[in-house]
């Protein structure tokens, strides 16, 4: 309640596993846990006894120095750095899956009898790795490679095969490193060749750019003139000479002078066209070389460009020389950083203590599993174990806990049968004291409604016991059986034919006729009386309100024993007349969601802030094993025992 959802509270409660809860689980289920542990341990011991003999083969390697192989441009295939991390690193390589795959193919694990029963190749490789172990030392460069198997010959072959594959892998790594370096250097040489070619092109582009800048239509450099241009220039010279001769005879406006001038202009046009053709040819060649960038050429001499091209060609030749040297070095790469100093020798695996270890581990894990299963069962229980759980999950206070009372059949009709139990009687008196405390605080619960979620939760017994306790304490108390469908109070007091609440509400009986008093206890009570056809309509009537008002005037405490809320809604309707609603929850049995729903129904009728609860029918012995803080019966028993002593 109070703005907190039931689901969030439940999640928090499920997450809070205290040590007391664990220890309590072990104590409550110690016999079952012991049986599970013994059974699994005996099975493990039997399995260990039938384990086949095991053999171990050891191959010893030493990490040594090898000469570095010079590579191109300052690079080298570096040897192992002999420090304290080297052994651990190489051990990881020796037990790697890639190396195991290679050895599995070499040994033919797919056909070996020890591995043919495994379904896949991957499973065989994993099984092979399970038998492999590597031991290193921080004080030396020695590595011991061990293999354990039930087949001594296979153990030796496997240890040696792993060592051989490891050494071959080192050699292969160096060879591949050299080849990678060759590939790298070859790429660099190709790049240098391309740069040299580009430098030559830049030099030619600059040369063409300079030539184009020098072209002038009036004075074309002789080396650029084509035969056609030279012929046109000769014709131009002859025509100029002819015009000079005509000028001595004719005026400028003469017809012959006009014809000569027109012929000269036409000849100039042809010359310009030829020069343009030559220029276009030069530009076309320049474009094929990548075009001209005047911003880069400016300030750069042809000599510097020619020098750059020569430098690029020289670098290319240097790389080619280094590449040839590296190819010669490839023959020196067949050395390894490790060597075998002792081939595999087979000996029995003396680790007999492993069998005891197996049994011990089985016992430990069986205990953990058993406790875990018991905890899972505990946390999957639907009900409440403690009052603090109700307060945390539902947000309503818990006044007390009532123990389970087993009465004999001969005492079934005795209204005092529950109070004869010391624990139950003390819990009821605790409930009365807490109700009196509310009265002292000005919250006088004169009309107390008692209900529950489902039948068999001890609601009616708690109502009767509370009424008797209050009566014996000197308070005038009235117990009203409001369950008009399944009445019980008349049978308890042997007043089956007495007039009761049903007759008054239906108008057949007078108010004064429904009040009765039990002779042995002096308790005043109102039985259900005649069962009406529509009880809910009568409980909602004005006569019910009049009955409550009359009861308030006559008695200090009126207890309304109502039917369960999940069966009928009578209690929710009557809660409007009550000063306090006491919701009875059966310990460990009533589901939490059901209790939540019932309290929500009371809240919907305006009694949300007037609800209190109690846990009923608590198994005292079992609850004590939880060691919860509200295990008051344990403390009460100790108190009585110390008082008796």
């Amino acid at each position: 309640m109070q703005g907190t959802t039931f689901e969030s509270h439940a999640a928090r409660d499920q997450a809070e596993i205290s040590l007391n809860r664990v220890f309590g689980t072990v104590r409550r289920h110690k016999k079952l846990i012991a049986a599970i542990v013994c059974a699994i341990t005996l099975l493990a011991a039997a399995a260990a006894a039938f384990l086949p003999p095991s053999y171990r083969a050891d191959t010893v390697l030493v990490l040594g120095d090898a000469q570095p192989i010079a590579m191109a441009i300052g690079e080298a295939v570096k040897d192992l750095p002999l420090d304290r991390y080297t052994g651990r690193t190489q051990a990881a390589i020796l037990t790697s899956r890639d190396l195991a795959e290679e050895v599995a193919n070499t040994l033919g694990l797919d056909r070996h009898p020890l591995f043919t029963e495994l379904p896949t190749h991957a499973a065989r490789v994993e099984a092979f790795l399970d038998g492999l172990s590597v031991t290193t030392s921080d004080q030396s460069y020695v590595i011991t490679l061990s293999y354990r198997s039930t087949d001594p010959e296979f153990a030796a072959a496997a240890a040696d095969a792993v060592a051989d594959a490891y050494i071959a892998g080192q050699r292969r790594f160096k060879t591949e490193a050299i080849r990678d370096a060759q590939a790298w250097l070859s790429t660099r040489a190709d790049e240098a060749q391309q740069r040299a070619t580009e430098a030559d092109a830049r030099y030619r582009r600059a040369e063409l750019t300079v030539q184009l800048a020098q072209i002038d239509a009036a004075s074309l450099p002789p080396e650029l003139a084509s035969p056609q241009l030279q012929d046109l220039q000769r014709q131009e010279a002859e025509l100029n000479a002819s015009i000079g001769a005509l000028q001595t005879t004719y005026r400028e406006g003469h017809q012959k002078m006009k014809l000569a001038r027109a012929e000269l202009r036409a000849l100039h046009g042809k010359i310009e066209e030829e020069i343009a053709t030559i220029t276009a040819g030069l530009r076309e060649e320049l474009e094929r070389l990548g075009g001209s960038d005047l911003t880069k050429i400016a300030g750069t001499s042809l000599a510097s460009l020619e020098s750059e091209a020569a430098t690029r060609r020289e670098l290319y030749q240097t790389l080619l020389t280094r590449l040839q040297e590296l190819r010669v070095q490839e023959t020196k790469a067949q050395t390894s950083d490790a060597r075998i100093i002792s081939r595999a020798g087979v000996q029995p695996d003396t680790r007999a203590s492993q069998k005891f270890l197996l049994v011990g581990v089985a016992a430990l894990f069986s205990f953990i599993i058993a406790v875990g299963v018991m905890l899972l069962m505990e946390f999957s229980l639907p009900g409440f174990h403690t009052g603090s759980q109700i307060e945390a999950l539902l947000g309503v206070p818990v006044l007390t806990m009532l123990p389970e009372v087993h009465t004999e059949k001969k005492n079934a009709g005795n209204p005092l049968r529950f109070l004869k139990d010391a624990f139950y009687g003390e819990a009821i008196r605790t409930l009365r004291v807490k109700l009196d405390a509310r009265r002292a605080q000005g919250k006088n619960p004169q009309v107390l409604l008692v209900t529950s979620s489902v039948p068999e939760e001890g609601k009616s017994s708690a109502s009767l016991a509370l009424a008797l306790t209050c009566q014996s304490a000197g308070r005038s108390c009235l117990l009203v059986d409001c369950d008009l469908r399944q009445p019980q109070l008349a049978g308890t007091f042997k007043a089956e034919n007495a007039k009761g609440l049903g007759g008054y509400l239906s108008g057949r009986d007078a108010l004064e006729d429904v009040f009765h008093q039990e002779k042995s206890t002096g308790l005043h009570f109102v039985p259900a009386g005649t069962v009406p056809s529509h009880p809910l309509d009568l409980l909602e009537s004005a006569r019910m309100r009049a009955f409550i008002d009359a009861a308030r005037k006559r008695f200090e405490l009126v207890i309304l024993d109502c039917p369960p809320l999940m069966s009928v809604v009578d209690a929710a309707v009557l809660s409007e007349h009550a000063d306090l609603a006491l919701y009875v929850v059966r310990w460990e049995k009533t589901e939490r969601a059901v209790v939540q729903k019932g309290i929500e129904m009371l809240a919907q009728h305006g009694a949300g802030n007037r609800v209190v609860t109690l846990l009923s029918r608590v198994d005292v012995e079992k609850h004590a094993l939880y060691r919860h803080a509200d295990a008051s019966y344990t403390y009460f028993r100790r108190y009585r025992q110390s008082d008796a002593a």
Side-chain angles (χ1 to χ4, degrees), residues 58-64 94 141-143 145 156-168 170-171 336-345:
D58 296 334
T59 299
V60 183
L61 301 91
V62 64
L63 303 178
L94 284 165
Y141 302 119
V142 174
I143 298 178
L145 194 153
D160 285 342
V162 173
D164 291 337
Y166 167 71
I167 293 175
Q170 282 194 333
R171 293 171 179 167
S336 173
D337 294 317
R339 59 188 177 90
I340 298 175
I341 60 175
S342 177
R343 286 283 177 179

Side-chain angles (χ1 to χ4, degrees), residues 573-604:
V573 172
L574 291 175
S575 66
E576 299 176 0
H577 305 293
D579 301 318
L580 191 67
L582 179 60
Y583 202 94
V584 179
V585 180
R586 185 175 180 179
W587 181 78
E588 203 179 51
K589 297 297 183 182
T590 308
E591 295 184 5
R592 301 183 181 190
V594 174
V595 178
Q596 170 76 10
K597 182 63 177 177
I599 294 179
E600 286 179 353
M601 291 176 63
L602 291 176
Q604 291 171 1

Side-chain angles (χ1 to χ4, degrees), residues 122-134:
R124 299 183 186 103
V125 172
E126 289 297 331
F128 177 80
L129 284 173
D130 290 341
L132 181 65
S133 61
V134 176

Side-chain angles (χ1 to χ4, degrees), residues 211-287:
Q211 289 178 349
L212 286 172
Q214 294 176 349
I215 292 177
D216 186 286
S219 58
L220 186 70
E223 64 272 13
L224 297 179
S226 64
Q228 292 83 354
L229 180 60
Q230 292 176 358
D231 183 60
L232 291 173
Q233 288 176 340
R234 179 183 55 78
Q235 293 179 22
E236 180 188 22
E238 292 177 354
L239 186 55
N240 283 328
S242 176
I243 290 174
L246 289 174
Q247 286 178 340
T248 60
T249 307
Y250 303 103
R251 292 189 303 273
E252 190 65 32
H254 193 273
Q255 186 64 27
K256 289 185 177 182
M257 288 295 296
K258 291 180 180 181
L259 291 175
R261 293 291 185 187
E263 185 179 357
L264 182 60
R265 285 193 298 272
L267 188 60
H268 283 165
K270 292 180 179 180
I271 291 174
E272 289 178 359
E273 289 178 1
E274 185 61 25
I275 291 176
T277 300
I278 295 173
T279 302
L282 293 176
R283 293 188 184 280
E284 183 179 354
E285 181 182 0
L286 183 60
E287 290 300 325

Side-chain angles (χ1 to χ4, degrees), residues 381-579:
L381 291 175
F384 294 97
H385 293 88
T386 67
S388 60
Q389 288 180 339
I390 295 180
E391 292 175 348
L393 298 180
L394 306 181
V396 294
V398 179
L399 299 186
T400 188
M401 299 174 67
L402 302 180
E404 178 76 273
V405 178
H406 302 282
T407 60
E408 298 179 359
K409 290 184 178 180
K410 63 181 181 180
N411 295 325
N414 185 0
L416 299 177
R417 64 188 184 278
F418 292 107
L419 294 179
K420 290 182 177 181
D421 184 271
F423 293 158
Y424 194 94
E426 189 63 30
I428 287 294
R429 284 187 286 274
T430 301
L431 175 60
R432 177 182 62 80
V433 169
K434 291 187 177 181
L435 292 175
D436 289 342
R438 285 178 168 263
R439 184 180 182 185
Q441 295 171 0
K443 303 175 182 178
N444 182 20
Q446 186 178 3
V447 177
L448 177 65
L449 180 144
V450 182
T451 187
S452 63
S453 300
V454 294
E456 303 297 328
E457 294 198 70
K459 163 186 61 65
S460 295
S461 300
S463 300
L464 176 58
L466 177 60
L468 291 171
T469 301
C470 292
Q471 182 72 25
S472 64
R475 295 181 61 185
S476 59
C477 181
L478 175 66
L479 178 60
V480 183
D481 190 353
C482 294
D483 192 346
L484 302 182
R485 295 175 175 83
Q486 299 289 336
Q488 295 184 5
L489 187 59
T492 301
F493 288 140
K494 300 185 184 303
E496 290 84 353
N497 298 322
K499 297 179 180 180
L501 182 64
Y504 168 73
L505 294 180
S506 60
R508 290 192 299 270
D509 300 326
L511 180 63
E512 296 297 332
D513 295 336
V514 301
F515 291 100
H516 305 276
Q517 187 174 18
E518 206 275 327
K519 295 180 180 180
S520 62
T521 61
L523 177 66
H524 293 83
F525 69 95
V526 176
T530 305
V531 178
S533 58
H534 301 288
L536 184 60
D537 294 338
L538 297 179
L539 294 176
E540 291 179 316
S541 67
R543 293 181 69 86
M544 184 64 200
R545 181 174 296 278
F547 172 82
I548 296 295
D549 292 341
R552 284 180 182 272
K553 295 176 181 179
R554 295 189 183 190
F555 300 95
E556 295 180 74
L557 178 63
V558 179
I559 300 177
L560 306 179
D561 183 9
C562 300
L565 263 173
M566 292 295 101
S567 303
V568 291
V569 297
D570 297 4
V573 172
L574 291 175
S575 66
E576 299 176 0
H577 305 293
D579 301 318

